[in-house]
Amino acid sequence: MNCTQTDFYEQARDYVLSNTADMLIGGYSISSQGTSLLKVFLAVSAAQSGSSQGNLNSFYNFVGSIWSQYSTSANPCNFLLNRYNHFNNQLSNNTYGLTQTLLKTAKRDYFAHMYNFCGCGTVPPIAPPPPAPNPPTQGAPTILPNERYDEGL
C-alpha cells in the first residue's frame, strides 16, 4: 500500500479534476481548468440544500469511508480500479441531472487519479461501445441479400 490517509485527504482537497471544468452549479462557477473533489462536494451539497455554503460532512464521510476500504483491502489497487469502473459505468449507462453528473464525474476522476498516485499504474482504457448500425437512408429500398430482384424483368 503506497498511500496514506493523509494522501487521500490532500489529493481530494488539492488535485484539480479537469473533467469538472466549466460547470455551473448552485451558484458555484467551476473554472475552465476544473476543480478539486472537495470543492465539488461543497458545490453539490450547497445546491442540494439550497444554501450558499456547502456542508463538509459528506466529504469527510466519503473520504473516510474510501480510506477505510482501501487500507483494509487485500488488493488496494483493485479496490481503486473497481470504484473507478463503478462510477464510469454509472455515467455511461444512466442519465443524471447536472448535480449528480458533476459529483459522479468528480468521484470517477478522483479514483483514476488515486490509482495512479498510489502507484497502481494508469487506469486501463475502457473499450468504447460498439457503433450503432447505420439505418437505411429514408426513402431508399432495403435490399435483402437472399432475394432476387430481377424476376420481373
Side-chain angles (χ1 to χ4, degrees), residues 128-135:
N134 291 334

Side-chain angles (χ1 to χ4, degrees), residues 12 15-48 59 62 87-88 90-92 94-111:
Y15 181 72
V16 174
L17 305 162
S18 61
N19 285 333
T20 62
D22 296 324
M23 291 188 176
L24 175 64
I25 179 170
Y28 285 82
S29 178
I30 297 174
S31 81
S32 61
Q33 286 79 40
T35 193
S36 69
L37 184 64
L38 169 61
K39 290 179 182 173
V40 168
F41 264 91
L42 289 173
V44 167
S45 68
Q48 290 174 335
F59 170 76
F62 175 77
F87 288 107
N88 193 62
Q90 284 188 336
L91 288 164
S92 298
N94 298 295
T95 302
Y96 297 101
L98 180 60
T99 305
Q100 286 302 306
T101 298
L102 174 61
L103 186 57
K104 290 176 185 301
T105 299
K107 287 178 179 180
R108 179 200 61 197
D109 294 354
Y110 173 73
F111 283 111

